[in-house]
Amino acid sequence: MRRPAPSTRGLFSTCTRINRSSVKSINLVKQSIIIQCSGPERMEQRLMLRVVIDDDDIRKLILNERPDSIQELKTQLSDKLSLQYDFKLQYEDPDFSNALCNLSQIEDLPERPTLKVIPLVTLDLTSLSSSTEDTDCSTADTEILSSTGSTPPLRRQWPEFFEIPNFSVDVAYRLRQADLLFMKDRVPWTPSRDMKHDILEKLAETMYSFKAYPDDDDFSSVAKALISKHPSLTEPGPQPGWYGWKNSLKFKMANYRTKLRKAGCDDVLINGGKRSKRNPEGPSSSKNIKRPKRGEVNYLPNLPDRHDESSLENARKVIIEEMKKKQPNASLVSRMMEETFSLRRREIVTQEPAVQSVMERWPALFTERQVFAEFNRIANKNLEGNFYEALDQHTPRFIDLFKSKKGTVGQKLKDLMQHINWLSPDVTALRTVVLKGLPVFLSEDSSQVYTTCFDIAKEEAFASVTVGVLTVTEDAQQQGPNGVHLQPISTAIILEGGTVMDNVRDFPQAVCLLFGLIYALHLNYPKCMENTFRFIQAVMLGLGNKTLPPKLITLQIKLLG
């Protein structure tokens, strides 16, 4: 007998009454849950960033909401950090041990990311007030200069061993066959006129990539290298087998410069108006000729491709506005100083403006970082590193020479060394003694360049120094009756009676910066210390002037002997 199914009507009615009676309490519970969760959810939407703008400018930033796109993130960074230029972003990727990667998708951004701002420098900016427009516009619509793009490649120092370039296919083939015959029968090969023209043209082009005006030793090194690589080109006769090629190279280099002058290359065009048979009314070629004389590799480079003086002038104005800030963007300034190098050299070399005028137009040039960078652009040398390396290398020998010197010069050098603690000598003190003792050893008067004054009289001392280093010390009365050695308060660099750099770290650093500024501003060496600066240039830094005065040659032999 089947049991009747139980009735569910009462059960449903009971549940209905329970649901209706508790719907209000359930809604209250839901609202409570939402209220309790809204705080943490909102906290999760906040984004904490570590933003690296520059090596000396790293900031912490909190955004109220996590951006939905990279463009939105860049916009917020521009507004909150006052970044008045276009940029791209890189982030530290935890998947690659926090190595930097380009941020291409917003989803790649970690929870607490570290971002690095990479400026994109544009030379079409005329002011820094339109930061929003610059952020919104596409970088494809603006012309961007980069150090590997439109900026002309800078020259390198003349190599110790000149490497003969590869010639065209037909010339290389004929030379290879001729070299094989020369090694077999020792019979030199006389190239045809066209073949010799191609060889000389290629050599002149390669030489110009190092120097626009090679000297006699440079021509000799190239001719010797040519004969060494291709012995079949050895010329018979009593003269060395490379002597004829050397003379031919000189004529070819002059013709090559003429072609470049017609093409408008600045470093040779500047000397195009000198007196000659075709220009008898021009100025004498022996006076005021503009060519490197102190080992300047990039003496007068051409302007970047697709840019003229007006576009680079806009970049110069951007640098000025950036330098007015309390904390300028060092990376941005360095990049734009690199791009405007040719414009700056054209002004300084051709117009020879006053130092005060250069300070007004190029304020960034008078910072330590840019002095060393400008010297590297001009001479292709690490001024600070090479200067201190050579100074420390020669210091022990200099001290021995100073101690062995007799007479009045020896007494002056003895006075310089009397404050050194020989048991534990300070490296800065030793460097200072060598730099101050070098002009004394060379019988030069350094009092007009190395000047010391009291703090209360420093304003009057500025006007009396044309080119030099001014050391400001405490008043002698503050040192006591036995205070012979006055403690320096500050060190400044003076040019044309005005302070161009103040609060320099120490005296050796000031001399190093002064030497760099002489190159950057195309100044002459002070006549009273010309041999001292030529020694720093030729012996310590190895720049130009292979023929030195007898006094410097003697000192060089003593140092190396």
Side-chain angles (χ1 to χ4, degrees), residues 71 74 86 122 131-142:
Q71 187 61 39
K74 291 175 61 177
D86 196 9
T122 60
S131 60
T132 305
E133 296 177 0
D134 295 338
T135 305
D136 295 337
C137 68
S138 171
T139 56
D141 298 332
T142 56

Side-chain angles (χ1 to χ4, degrees), residues 87-98:
F87 58 90
K88 67 178 181 179
L89 294 173
Q90 292 182 343
Y91 73 101
E92 292 185 355
D93 195 336
D95 296 334
F96 298 98
S97 302
N98 291 331

Side-chain angles (χ1 to χ4, degrees), residues 196-477:
K196 187 174 182 178
H197 167 80
D198 292 342
I199 294 174
L200 293 174
E201 190 80 10
K202 186 64 177 180
L203 291 175
E205 179 184 350
T206 306
M207 293 173 67
Y208 181 77
S209 66
F210 295 103
K211 281 185 179 180
Y213 295 92
D215 54 30
D216 189 76
D217 291 340
D218 297 330
F219 286 111
S220 297
S221 66
V222 176
K224 291 178 182 178
L226 178 64
I227 298 303
S228 176
K229 185 174 181 179
H230 301 290
S232 62
L233 296 177
T234 303
E235 296 179 336
Q239 295 288 349
W242 48 266
Y243 195 80
W245 285 101
K246 172 184 173 181
N247 291 333
S248 299
L249 277 172
K250 288 184 176 181
F251 285 105
K252 176 55 68 174
M253 196 67 194
N255 294 335
Y256 190 76
R257 283 196 297 266
T258 301
K259 295 179 181 179
L260 295 177
R261 191 175 296 118
K262 294 179 180 179
C265 291
D266 290 339
D267 54 353
V268 292
L269 182 62
I270 193 174
N271 298 313
K274 304 302 179 183
R275 186 182 306 166
S276 63
K277 293 182 179 180
R278 298 182 180 180
N279 186 26
E281 303 298 328
S284 174
S285 59
S286 61
K287 295 182 180 180
N288 199 29
I289 190 168
K290 302 291 186 180
R291 66 174 64 176
K293 300 177 182 178
R294 297 186 299 212
E296 300 96 335
V297 179
N298 298 291
Y299 181 74
L300 193 60
N302 296 319
L303 299 181
D305 296 338
R306 306 187 309 275
H307 287 276
D308 54 14
E309 291 189 8
S310 61
S311 61
L312 295 176
E313 180 68 14
N314 291 335
R316 185 191 66 81
K317 295 177 181 178
V318 175
I319 297 176
I320 291 180
E321 293 299 322
E322 189 68 26
M323 292 301 297
K324 291 179 181 179
K325 298 179 181 179
K326 187 176 181 180
Q327 292 184 339
N329 188 325
S331 297
L332 175 64
V333 171
S334 297
R335 187 184 297 243
M336 303 198 76
M337 286 290 287
E338 179 81 20
E339 306 300 349
T340 55
F341 171 62
S342 56
L343 175 65
R344 188 163 55 255
R345 287 298 292 176
R346 177 178 289 191
E347 292 180 6
I348 292 174
V349 173
T350 60
Q351 301 175 14
E352 299 181 351
V355 173
Q356 185 61 35
S357 175
V358 179
M359 289 186 66
E360 294 173 358
R361 288 182 56 81
W362 303 96
L365 186 59
F366 297 88
T367 61
E368 284 196 12
R369 183 172 182 176
Q370 289 307 316
V371 169
F372 295 138
E374 191 79 354
F375 187 87
N376 185 58
R377 287 187 281 263
I378 295 173
N380 196 20
K381 285 276 188 178
N382 181 353
L383 173 59
E384 188 176 26
N386 294 345
F387 177 83
Y388 284 117
E389 181 182 358
L391 184 59
D392 294 340
Q393 176 186 351
H394 297 309
T395 290
R397 184 58 180 158
F398 265 120
I399 297 299
D400 293 339
L401 292 176
F402 290 172
K403 290 180 178 180
S404 63
K405 198 71 175 176
K406 306 298 182 180
T408 305
V409 173
Q411 184 59 43
K412 292 180 180 179
L413 294 173
K414 184 178 179 181
D415 293 340
L416 286 174
M417 295 185 292
Q418 66 178 338
H419 304 294
I420 296 179
N421 182 5
W422 296 107
L423 296 178
S424 58
D426 178 64
V427 64
T428 302
L430 290 174
R431 291 170 174 172
T432 301
V433 166
V434 171
L435 291 174
K436 289 186 176 181
L438 178 58
V440 177
F441 194 86
L442 294 174
S443 302
E444 292 185 319
D445 182 13
S446 61
S447 60
Q448 299 180 19
V449 179
Y450 297 161
T451 309
T452 303
C453 72
F454 297 137
D455 188 22
I456 58 176
K458 62 181 181 180
E459 296 296 334
E460 293 80 0
F462 288 165
S464 63
V465 179
T466 303
V467 176
V469 177
L470 178 65
T471 302
V472 181
T473 63
E474 296 179 359
D475 193 346
Q477 297 179 356

